[in-house]
Amino acid sequence: MKKNRMNAPCTIILAAINVIVFFVLSLRGMTENGMFLLEHGAMYVPKVIEDREIYRLFTSMFLHFGFQHLMNNMIILALAGWNLEIEIGKIRFLLIYVLSGLGGNVLSAWWEVITADYAISAGASGAIFGIIGALLYIAIRNHGRIGEISGRGLIFMIVISLYYGFSSGGVDNMAHIGGLLTGFVSGVLLYWKHNRKSRACFDR
């Protein structure tokens, strides 16, 4: 069982990709500069709609505004992603991560169109909120816990994170909410509780 607890390669790979992309871009320019990130795939709704650059919904998930932004996201990814990947498996973990990142960007884009308030955005936080949303669903299914994480702890984390986002400037709150909801729904669709025992016995 200890071997299983250490088996979360997708979490490590995703974190490594984010870090590598950040340092490669840091050698070419200022990652804190919105226009620089826009040139390298950041999210900007007019570009997506008018120029049909749909790829930005995906590429923006791997870009960060500065080292602190990167580290904040990677720490949460390492902690939350590790637990989710072990619990739900590699493929379903990756599906939740990618779908949540896309879901967060789609809701953010919709909100910007509604409010006509456009901004350059980037970061893995929509996908990470999706991981937390999936963990919350799994904790609910398992009587309030998933491993060493409690459902109450996850709710507290969500509330604090959203409060910080809404009380601070420069935070894409709709991406967080969209990722959270997408992750929760993805957890509902992809997690089957009866697999837990069989996985503990036969996981390879």
Side-chain angles (χ1 to χ4, degrees), residues 13 119 139 158:
I13 291 170
I158 292 168

Side-chain angles (χ1 to χ4, degrees), residues 1-75:
M1 191 66 182
K2 288 183 179 179
K3 183 178 179 181
N4 291 339
R5 294 295 299 175
M6 295 299 293
N7 189 21
C10 294
T11 299
I12 297 172
I13 291 170
L14 285 171
I17 291 172
N18 277 279
V19 171
I20 290 169
V21 168
F22 176 81
F23 281 108
V24 168
L25 291 182
S26 295
L27 295 174
R28 303 180 63 180
M30 294 292 293
T31 58
E32 294 88 350
N33 185 292
M35 293 305 297
F36 175 74
L37 286 192
L38 182 63
E39 293 174 2
H40 292 87
M43 180 72 180
Y44 188 56
V45 173
K47 286 280 189 182
V48 173
I49 295 177
E50 297 171 11
D51 298 338
R52 306 196 179 198
E53 296 178 357
I54 307 298
Y55 66 87
R56 293 180 181 276
L57 293 170
F58 179 78
T59 55
S60 61
M61 295 162 51
F62 297 93
L63 303 175
H64 290 85
F65 288 103
F67 185 75
Q68 183 176 354
H69 184 206
L70 172 73
M71 284 297 98
N72 288 343
N73 278 344
M74 292 306 98
I75 289 170

